[in-house]
Amino acid sequence: ENILRNYISTQGILKEEFHLILSLNDQVLDDKLKCSLIKIYDNHSNKLIGDIPLYQCNYPSELLKLFSINTSLNRFEEFSIPPDIYKRLNEIEERTRPLREYVTTVIKEYNNLILSIKTSTEQIVFQDEFTKLKIDNINKVSAKAWNSIGIETYLNKFRKKINEIQTKVNKFKEVFE
């Protein structure tokens, strides 16, 4: 441990991160939560049904980095993080973790549904379902930010619709197998 402490103090490692943590305030943290819950999956070649893309959770990576830095720096005496900043970052992490996990689960279910449509016949049969899903659910979830209220309601409706469509797809596949 002493070797690590000496290395950190002589190399200046973590000093930039420490100053980043010290510069935080409630407004900066709240601003980081203003991005949408989901975004189109970065690999744009994954459009499978017309213009229906895969999606991914859009949790702010800057916050994940801050959470990690906060936890790491708190272990070293050389970096005295003000208790209010440390506490605020932990509160945000704990408050948003369940929602982040839920968004990830719902998007995984959605992407699995999209990936289950393999044939052109299936694509044609379910094109209207996916268009309606996008209009009624994806657009609404995409419009919500991490600091919005009532997000779970939109996610629950989205998940329910995914399950309904998946049931239809499964029944269709059973008939034609």
Side-chain angles (χ1 to χ4, degrees):
E1 185 177 320
N2 286 334
I3 293 170
L4 180 61
R5 288 182 192 280
N6 286 337
Y7 181 74
I8 289 171
S9 63
T10 60
Q11 299 298 315
I13 295 175
L14 299 178
K15 287 188 180 183
E16 183 178 321
E17 286 84 355
F18 180 62
H19 291 295
L20 177 65
I21 292 285
L22 291 179
S23 70
L24 295 176
N25 59 44
D26 283 344
Q27 184 62 45
V28 169
L29 292 171
D30 288 340
D31 286 347
K32 291 188 182 306
L33 290 169
K34 289 183 180 176
C35 65
S36 66
L37 295 176
I38 63 175
K39 67 180 181 178
I40 293 175
Y41 185 68
D42 287 338
N43 184 350
H44 297 290
S45 65
N46 282 322
K47 292 184 179 181
L48 300 173
I49 301 177
D51 290 329
I52 305 292
L54 298 176
Y55 285 86
Q56 66 187 41
C57 179
N58 189 34
Y59 195 79
S61 59
E62 306 89 30
L63 277 179
L64 293 174
K65 180 180 177 183
L66 289 172
F67 298 155
S68 176
I69 292 168
N70 189 43
T71 301
S72 299
L73 290 179
N74 195 47
R75 295 181 180 161
F76 295 101
E77 295 167 2
E78 294 83 21
F79 301 103
S80 179
I81 298 175
D84 57 324
I85 294 174
Y86 180 80
K87 182 180 175 187
R88 178 74 167 124
L89 281 170
N90 282 339
E91 286 173 357
I92 291 171
E93 182 178 21
E94 291 303 313
R95 180 173 46 91
T96 60
R97 180 182 293 130
L99 179 58
R100 186 174 73 232
E101 290 171 357
Y102 191 45
V103 168
T104 301
T105 299
V106 172
I107 292 304
K108 181 180 176 184
E109 290 173 1
Y110 167 81
N111 287 342
N112 285 338
L113 171 63
I114 296 297
L115 293 170
S116 73
I117 305 296
K118 298 191 189 288
T119 69
S120 58
T121 303
E122 292 169 349
Q123 291 175 4
I124 293 167
V125 168
F126 293 103
Q127 179 66 45
D128 289 342
E129 292 279 349
F130 287 109
T131 300
K132 190 169 180 355
L133 181 69
K134 182 174 183 178
I135 292 168
D136 293 345
N137 301 102
I138 294 173
N139 290 344
K140 289 178 182 175
V141 171
S142 295
K144 295 295 178 185
W146 290 96
N147 57 357
S148 300
I149 296 174
I151 299 168
E152 290 82 3
T153 301
Y154 292 97
L155 290 170
N156 289 336
K157 289 177 182 178
F158 187 23
R159 192 172 197 189
K160 183 179 176 184
K161 190 63 179 173
I162 292 167
N163 289 332
E164 288 172 9
I165 295 172
Q166 187 66 63
T167 300
K168 290 177 184 179
V169 168
N170 292 343
K171 286 181 181 178
F172 180 84
K173 286 182 178 206
E174 284 176 12
V175 170
F176 290 100
E177 285 185 349

